[in-house]
Amino acid sequence: MSQFDAIVVGGGVNGLIAGTLLGRRGKNVCIIEKSDRFGGMASYSVDGGPTLAHSLYNLSPRALGDIGIGIQHPVLSSKPVSTVSLSEDGRHIVFKNDGVYWSDGTKHRESDAWSDLTRQLITYGDLLRQLAEAPPPGGQKAILSRGALNEFLRLAKLGIDLKKLGKSEMRRFLQVVLSNVHDIILDDLSEGPVAGMLAADAIWGTATGPRSPGTVFNLIYRLGHGGTITQPAGGMCALTDLMVEAAQKAGCLLMPDTEVSRILLDNDAVSGVETTDGRTIAAPNVLSSLAPKLTSRMTGPSAFDIETMRRVRNIRARGTTAKVNLRLKDSSALPSLSDELAHERLIYAPSVEYVEAAFNPAKYGQMSKAPVIEAFKMQTADGASWLSTIVQYAPSDLEGGWTETAKEQLAEIAVETLSRALPGLGDQIAGKQVITPDKIESATGAPGGHWHHAEMSLDQLLTLRPTNGMSRYSMGPKGLFQCGAATHPGGDVMGLAGRNAALAALEALP
Amino acid sequence: MTVDNRYDVIVAGAGHNGLTAAAYLARAGMRVLVVEKNDWIGGAAVSRSLHEGWTYSNCSYVCSLLRREIARDLELPKYGLQVIPYEGGASFTRDGDYFAYYSDHNALKREMARHSEKDADAYRRYSQAIMRQCRFIRPFLLRDAPDPASLHPRDFGELAYLVKKAHGLGSRELGETLKFWTMSIGDFLDEHFENDLIKAHLAGSGIIGTGLGVYSPGTAYVLLHHYMGDIDGGIGAWGFARGGMGAISNAIAASFKEHGGTIHTGSGVEKILSKDGRVEGVALEDGKVFYAPVVASNMDIKRTVLHHIDAAELPDDFTKAVRNFKIRGSSAKLNIALDRFPNFPAAPEHTSFLRGDLHVSQSLLELEKAYDDWKVGRWSEKPYIDMLIPSQIDPTMAPTGAHMMTVFVQYAPYDLEVDGVKSAENWDEKQRNAMAETVLDQMSVACPDIRERVVHMEVRSPLEIEREVGLTEGNIFQGELTFDQLFFNRPVPGWSQYNLPIKGLYLCGSSAHPGGGVMGAPGANAARAILRKETRHGRMKGYAA
């Protein structure tokens, strides 16, 4: 007799949500995490520095609600931040809810065009969220079953909502959704930092440039929950702590510092897991929040047919994003920025072409010499002041590997790039942390250090996510599910993948 | 107003699609006039003698996509069209080797195994996948694209046909199809093959004519767009039209004239006349005016709408959508008269593969880099070239012993960057020659003596293609083949069924579904739309109906 109904392998955001949801529905669940801290990329940090993920923009209220966390929780109710597109001439551009402003408070002439485009994309995001909040359409079901009926109703609702957009909006949606951001942005806005900021928001974490078809989808995805950006009170760890608490409340057994070495199979059905320290934990169901490739390694390839293994091998996940944390000498304001702006989200992406040019070297295994950067000024628990930056592009397969020299070079590039808009920044820096994709991979298991475990390209979305024939969360042997970012709808600190997977598992659970 | 200047239909532009539409309409008993700005017909499917004794196919250069339904309906063989399939092709390496592509399956497998045993095994799965996709897409080429926002029974019917076809694939195959359509040719090849040269050879068709790189999503579809044709039922086979590509246009024109059609060359359309939202005819550059209740434009959508129609006659959002239509010049062309056959040191003697398409790209990354050059407004330092010597098969193209060579060059931007300024005006003779030198350098990888062989060379930048043929930016497809501009999005959402916001005005060129290539499908589809909407018993007869 198994002690557990289900084991969740990997305690990242999706793993925690999947486990908690099952726990709240009366299942006996254990969540196993190899590191000493839960939360995966959301809470991973080096020596108490800023965490890998440093802001929230896509967290699903629905996923949170399902694990009993209200969206009004104090940790989540901090004030939304604005975005500042940094400019070399010191005339920065501030994106607020109601429009675009110069840093001196005057309205930018492209404010309305930006607002219109953003509003339109948010509308599309609303539509697509319906798809994100359920398993993707398709799959084999008896035509008259409840599942099939539900799916039909969901699709019908989507169809009606699409129609409700009106003829011309619906047509535009069908055109835009598969397009590239370079064209969509420059159709309505002139080249420059306003356009650059939008282009940057379409490519974070992906191995694509603004000219790549499909990037509009990425931008819509990012705006899928309204596009508001916040930082949880107390940092990202406060959020993951909250999730851990919810898991415990739901009766889940949390096992940190435990690494699963094998998923045990008995007669083509899951029977439990074996840990690296030799323990066996029995359960008829396993939900793995790891990427499919790692999961299949744990079961062994014989659990899958040859076609499936080929598809799993071909899932593309090439991380292109590095984290560079700059420790500041004191907590004084950043050069050339007012105190108020210094606490907003800072972006360095002066134009769409700049973003595209930054992408070029990444294709050939080189880091950008002029990267796109997102930065947040923040304080860590120990009171130290940091500039937490995301540097795009720094490919996981860097030519020559991520040696100490290469890392040092990346940090210098980041500082140099930011200094162009924030002159004198270099003098304020007391220390640097460089977290490259290979490090992200070894720390969190994400293949290639990719944010989403699998590239968010059109051929790896919806029914094709993570790959054809695997989109319904179950995978191979009976009782094996995947619940990580590689599954529909994808990563970010969103939680829907874990939630959907848990619901799919519940359907199959006795 | 005399009887002579009144017609049932006027087709603006004598490209192969315009002629195809005209020929179908003439066969249906309408009085049709085709007007053409050049002194010759054919648009981009043209043969021209620019150096005495040599005939150049100086725009499009090979034939495969021409729908056989159209060839049969218009009886093109009867009017002189002969298409001769060519065998294989090759990619040459910088160190004196080559990868040959044979049409014979066993020979190809042996050749692949010479480069990689694994790839030889993978080829079968690869070609199966491609064939499946070709078979899936072909029925849609001669049908209208449905408007998903419309509740019209016809749209609904077409949509239902699509759903039925897609459902018929089964869920596994449907998944593979969706994946194929949305992925890049680079990723698709990486999934199958390991050898750089083989991948580079196969990738070429995925980028020809587009402003995309081999790793841009959607290029797998572009590859398909080049593969879905056939010659004598051999899917994906390519051939030469005897007498050059102009033979195709000439055969269609002959078929058209035999059924009472008139062609007026030497003066282009100045203005498409309309009144109260209804088309009335065309005014030509030479001052002549012709009247007809129906006008079909073979020009691309941008040219048609932005240059030849009064903006006041059109809704603003439509004009805006047309202005945002992407039509990017990305290719150039060299047409070369050779004094004798160039020496290909790597190739064995008397091999058949030299009769096919020859390339020198070494890897997918080299192709991707070529794209990066184009993005900033320069021609590629190491361009993708597609060279063919049709005179080996077709003796009408060059004097005995001499040869004609056509070299397609990807990428060359329309707005060329010189000293920080991007403009098409920068394409002067100096720049053209500099580009030609780059291309000749690249060609020397395959045939080092190429420079000594040249008797005459025509260098065509996107600007020349635009000026002569009329294709905006010199884009060979009259508009990018990207998702946002295909099927019901082509040319612009809501106007995918050949008619335009002015009553009686139609689009019959490659800007319309299913897009570019010497295919004839937009022309035939437009003719069908015209017959259905403008005549009382308007059903088109024939295989393409």
Side-chain angles (χ1 to χ4, degrees):
Chain A
M1 190 59 198
S2 318
Q3 189 188 344
F4 297 104
D5 295 316
I7 296 168
V8 176
V9 181
V13 168
N14 283 310
L16 285 171
I17 288 179
T20 311
L21 206 157
L22 290 176
R24 284 168 62 92
R25 303 283 174 99
K27 303 296 172 194
N28 209 345
V29 182
C30 133
I31 307 176
I32 304 177
E33 165 61 40
K34 77 169 171 169
S35 71
D36 58 351
R37 184 195 271 157
F38 285 84
M41 287 196 205
S43 65
Y44 174 74
S45 68
V46 177
D47 304 331
T51 46
L52 213 48
H54 59 198
S55 66
L56 295 175
Y57 46 86
N58 223 350
L59 186 60
S60 164
R62 179 157 285 196
L64 283 182
D66 282 349
I67 60 166
I69 301 177
I71 198 71
Q72 304 298 341
H73 194 280
V75 167
L76 294 167
S77 47
S78 51
K79 190 172 143 277
V81 293
S82 308
T83 296
V84 180
S85 190
L86 297 173
S87 185
E88 277 180 44
D89 59 9
R91 292 196 77 199
H92 309 303
I93 294 168
V94 188
F95 299 82
K96 297 186 182 166
N97 260 343
D98 61 338
V100 187
Y101 298 86
W102 293 104
S103 44
D104 59 15
T106 51
K107 203 159 191 175
H108 193 283
R109 78 193 136 74
E110 296 202 300
S111 179
D112 291 344
W114 178 84
S115 297
D116 288 348
L117 183 60
T118 313
R119 205 173 311 125
Q120 196 171 38
L121 294 174
I122 289 174
T123 315
Y124 300 160
D126 268 348
L127 267 180
L128 291 177
R129 199 173 59 239
Q130 301 184 8
L131 286 174
E133 286 174 348
Q140 316 256 335
K141 274 195 226 86
I143 202 145
L144 289 174
S145 67
R146 220 178 77 190
L149 187 67
N150 280 339
E151 187 177 312
F152 178 77
L153 290 176
R154 268 203 313 271
L155 282 177
K157 178 168 183 320
L158 180 70
I160 291 167
D161 286 348
L162 204 60
K163 273 273 188 246
K164 271 201 221 148
L165 284 177
K167 240 181 191 183
S168 70
E169 267 304 284
M170 174 182 172
R171 285 175 180 148
R172 177 153 164 90
F173 170 74
L174 291 175
Q175 180 183 36
V176 158
V177 73
L178 298 176
S179 185
N180 69 76
V181 284
H182 173 276
D183 292 351
I184 294 307
I185 296 172
L186 295 181
D187 279 352
D188 291 333
L189 299 166
S190 60
E191 178 67 309
V194 176
M197 182 287 241
L198 276 172
D201 270 356
I203 51 91
W204 300 119
T206 69
T208 52
R211 278 181 187 265
S212 310
T215 35
V216 171
F217 183 92
N218 292 345
L219 187 54
I220 294 175
Y221 182 82
R222 195 184 164 92
L223 300 172
H225 288 92
T228 312
I229 301 165
T230 57
Q231 284 187 302
M236 294 296 279
C237 290
L239 173 66
T240 52
D241 288 347
L242 206 59
M243 288 180 174
V244 167
E245 206 180 289
Q248 282 162 340
K249 230 192 276 172
C252 301
L253 178 69
L254 298 177
M255 296 176 71
D257 286 318
T258 309
E259 194 174 351
V260 172
S261 56
R262 252 176 358 123
I263 295 171
L264 302 173
L265 300 175
D266 183 18
N267 208 5
D268 205 29
V270 165
S271 64
V273 300
E274 191 182 275
T275 60
T276 43
D277 53 13
R279 278 179 292 169
T280 301
I281 306 167
N285 295 286
V286 168
L287 284 77
S288 166
S289 64
L290 308 176
K293 203 187 270 183
L294 296 182
T295 309
S296 66
R297 212 171 282 162
M298 286 178 177
T299 60
S302 56
F304 304 96
D305 64 76
I306 197 163
E307 184 67 19
T308 303
M309 281 314 291
R310 188 179 71 79
R311 288 181 189 161
V312 166
R313 207 171 51 236
N314 282 330
I315 297 172
R316 274 172 291 114
R318 203 168 149 260
T320 53
T321 317
K323 191 80 202 296
V324 175
N325 298 323
L326 306 169
R327 197 155 64 77
L328 302 172
K329 282 188 183 145
D330 47 50
S331 59
S332 61
L334 294 167
S336 130
L337 279 180
S338 67
D339 221 18
E340 187 193 341
L341 290 188
H343 287 92
E344 309 288 15
R345 166 178 179 248
L346 311 176
I347 296 263
Y348 188 80
S351 68
V352 180
E353 283 310 325
Y354 177 90
V355 179
E356 183 70 33
F359 171 50
N360 285 345
K363 296 192 281 194
Y364 314 108
Q366 288 150 9
M367 65 178 99
S368 299
K369 297 286 186 311
V372 187
I373 297 181
E374 177 191 78
F376 269 107
K377 187 166 180 256
M378 55 172 65
Q379 268 186 336
T380 42
D382 57 0
S385 197
W386 293 83
L387 196 59
S388 165
T389 76
I390 288 171
V391 180
Q392 184 95 8
Y393 299 81
S396 56
D397 52 352
L398 187 78
E399 212 177 346
W402 281 106
T403 57
E404 283 310 310
T405 335
K407 285 183 186 172
E408 186 54 38
Q409 198 193 348
L410 182 73
E412 263 167 42
I413 289 174
V415 174
E416 253 169 55
T417 306
L418 283 172
S419 299
R420 269 185 243 154
L422 309 171
L425 177 70
D427 303 334
Q428 292 202 22
I429 293 167
K432 296 170 194 161
Q433 290 182 345
V434 181
I435 311 170
T436 47
D438 63 321
K439 177 73 189 159
I440 298 176
E441 173 164 12
S442 64
T444 68
H450 197 290
W451 281 13
H452 301 281
H453 290 199
E455 185 63 41
M456 295 285 284
S457 56
L458 296 175
D459 60 330
Q460 296 190 157
L461 284 177
L462 283 168
T463 312
L464 301 175
R465 190 162 185 87
T467 187
N468 188 15
M470 246 195 219
S471 62
R472 311 288 292 195
Y473 304 98
S474 65
M475 178 183 181
K478 188 168 177 289
L480 181 60
F481 297 88
Q482 38 185 348
C483 64
T487 58
H488 170 80
D492 282 346
V493 183
M494 176 161 66
L496 281 174
R499 168 194 174 265
N500 290 349
L503 294 178
L506 273 174
E507 258 179 50
L509 250 56
Chain B
M1 221 185 272
T2 64
V3 179
D4 281 351
N5 62 3
R6 295 205 68 91
Y7 290 88
D8 294 334
V9 183
I10 296 170
V11 177
H16 74 280
N17 276 315
L19 292 168
T20 301
Y24 271 106
L25 295 172
R27 276 170 188 260
M30 297 178 103
R31 258 189 102 221
V32 185
L33 171 75
V34 177
V35 293
E36 164 62 41
K37 75 180 172 87
N38 288 321
D39 293 328
W40 59 90
I41 59 159
V46 70
S47 307
R48 297 192 61 204
S49 176
L50 297 178
H51 187 71
E52 208 189 326
W54 276 268
T55 302
Y56 293 166
S57 290
N58 71 345
C59 287
S60 62
Y61 49 99
V62 277
C63 173
S64 158
L65 300 176
L66 185 67
R67 303 305 307 143
R68 52 179 153 173
E69 293 88 340
I70 295 171
R72 280 183 211 166
D73 287 345
L74 304 181
E75 303 172 280
L76 299 186
K78 184 175 137 191
Y79 295 103
L81 179 64
Q82 280 182 50
V83 180
I84 315 152
Y86 65 71
E87 292 168 50
S91 281
F92 292 88
T93 67
R94 291 176 188 277
D95 56 10
D97 197 5
Y98 62 87
F99 163 70
Y101 190 90
Y102 298 103
S103 47
D104 178 277
H105 184 78
N106 289 325
L108 176 59
K109 219 178 153 186
R110 274 199 302 279
E111 173 68 2
M112 281 199 161
R114 190 166 74 83
H115 293 273
S116 158
E117 290 275 358
K118 240 172 111 183
D119 287 0
D121 289 337
Y123 184 71
R124 193 155 73 155
R125 199 155 43 77
Y126 166 83
S127 53
Q128 260 173 7
I130 297 272
M131 279 310 125
R132 275 201 204 112
Q133 299 308 328
C134 286
R135 227 169 275 152
F136 176 67
I137 190 180
R138 279 150 56 101
F140 293 98
L141 297 176
L142 286 170
R143 299 180 77 97
D144 291 359
D147 177 359
S150 149
L151 290 174
H152 193 278
R154 223 188 119 73
D155 290 305
F156 207 72
E158 287 293 324
L159 211 55
Y161 178 79
L162 172 70
V163 171
K164 185 182 140 211
K165 278 281 182 190
H167 189 258
L169 289 171
S171 70
R172 174 193 176 278
E173 198 53 37
L174 181 60
E176 293 292 306
T177 300
L178 288 173
K179 199 167 154 67
F180 179 87
W181 278 55
T182 48
M183 83 191 303
S184 76
I185 184 61
D187 290 328
F188 186 67
L189 290 167
D190 283 340
E191 282 192 4
H192 289 84
F193 301 107
E194 57 174 18
N195 184 279
D196 279 341
L197 189 63
I198 291 178
K199 284 191 269 190
H201 183 90
L202 296 170
S205 300
I207 52 165
I208 285 187
T210 73
L212 295 168
V214 284
Y215 281 108
S216 305
T219 41
Y221 171 76
V222 180
L223 177 96
L224 204 61
H225 200 87
H226 289 99
Y227 270 31
M228 62 200 177
D230 63 286
I231 288 180
D232 289 342
I235 297 183
W238 286 83
F240 297 113
R242 187 179 160 97
M245 292 300 279
I248 296 173
S249 306
N250 292 340
I252 304 173
S255 171
F256 168 56
K257 285 185 192 154
E258 179 115 339
H259 289 80
T262 317
I263 301 178
H264 181 283
T265 57
S267 180
V269 170
E270 174 72 42
K271 203 170 166 217
I272 294 171
L273 306 170
S274 61
K275 203 171 138 192
D276 304 331
R278 170 93 223 175
V279 81
E280 294 195 305
V282 296
L284 301 191
E285 285 158 354
D286 62 5
K288 284 203 183 95
V289 178
F290 293 103
Y291 296 94
V294 178
V295 171
S297 171
N298 189 194
M299 297 178 280
D300 65 63
I301 178 99
K302 277 197 144 155
R303 203 167 202 78
T304 307
V305 170
L306 304 178
H307 297 299
H308 300 295
I309 300 178
D310 221 343
E313 294 280 330
L314 293 162
D316 286 344
D317 54 343
F318 174 77
T319 314
K320 185 182 170 218
V322 171
R323 203 165 284 132
N324 286 339
F325 185 67
K326 302 295 175 298
I327 176 161
R328 295 183 166 126
S330 59
S331 38
K333 185 89 194 293
L334 262 58
N335 297 300
I336 309 176
L338 304 165
D339 62 353
R340 58 187 155 86
F341 198 74
N343 184 24
F344 292 88
E349 259 184 84
H350 306 300
T351 174
S352 65
F353 69 67
L354 289 180
R355 276 174 241 149
D357 45 323
L358 308 175
H359 315 269
V360 292
S361 293
Q362 308 294 309
S363 68
L364 291 174
L365 289 183
E366 185 183 305
L367 288 166
E368 184 70 21
K369 275 205 176 106
Y371 167 57
D372 289 349
D373 295 336
W374 172 83
K375 287 194 293 196
V376 294
R378 296 298 301 170
W379 63 76
S380 310
E381 224 171 282
K382 286 184 182 158
Y384 165 78
I385 54 174
D386 187 14
M387 1 178 219
L388 293 118
I389 311 179
S391 48
Q392 294 172 91
I393 295 175
D394 179 359
T396 65
M397 304 291 283
T400 313
H403 283 277
M404 184 263 158
M405 190 176 203
T406 150
V407 187
F408 175 86
V409 183
Q410 184 89 10
Y411 301 83
Y414 176 73
D415 287 317
L416 183 68
E417 189 265 343
V418 176
D419 301 328
V421 181
K422 280 189 197 177
S423 164
E425 299 301 318
N426 285 331
W427 277 113
D428 54 15
E429 198 173 342
K430 193 176 130 208
Q431 296 295 336
R432 270 209 311 278
N433 288 342
M435 179 187 71
E437 286 304 313
T438 307
V439 176
L440 288 167
D441 282 342
Q442 187 79 332
M443 290 166 74
S444 319
V445 173
C447 40
D449 67 336
I450 185 68
R451 281 192 169 83
E452 288 116 73
R453 298 282 74 80
V454 176
V455 179
H456 172 259
M457 181 161 68
E458 185 200 16
V459 185
R460 291 159 72 87
S461 72
L463 183 68
E464 271 75 50
I465 300 176
E466 177 182 71
R467 284 201 178 141
E468 185 187 299
V469 188
L471 296 167
T472 297
E473 289 207 15
N475 180 301
I476 65 170
F477 295 134
Q478 286 198 350
E480 289 289 319
L481 298 178
T482 46
F483 312 122
D484 51 324
Q485 299 195 158
L486 283 172
F487 208 47
F488 50 69
N489 285 330
R490 193 169 185 89
V492 295
W495 298 100
S496 62
Q497 294 171 357
Y498 308 95
N499 55 330
L500 295 177
I502 294 176
K503 278 209 178 71
L505 181 61
Y506 291 80
L507 200 66
C508 66
S510 304
S511 280
H513 169 75
V518 184
M519 197 185 320
N525 291 350
R528 194 175 56 234
I530 290 170
L531 287 171
R532 191 178 69 242
K533 290 178 187 168
E534 304 288 340
T535 64
R536 202 150 355 131
H537 313 287
R539 301 222 23 181
M540 194 160 95
K541 294 196 182 74
Y543 298 101

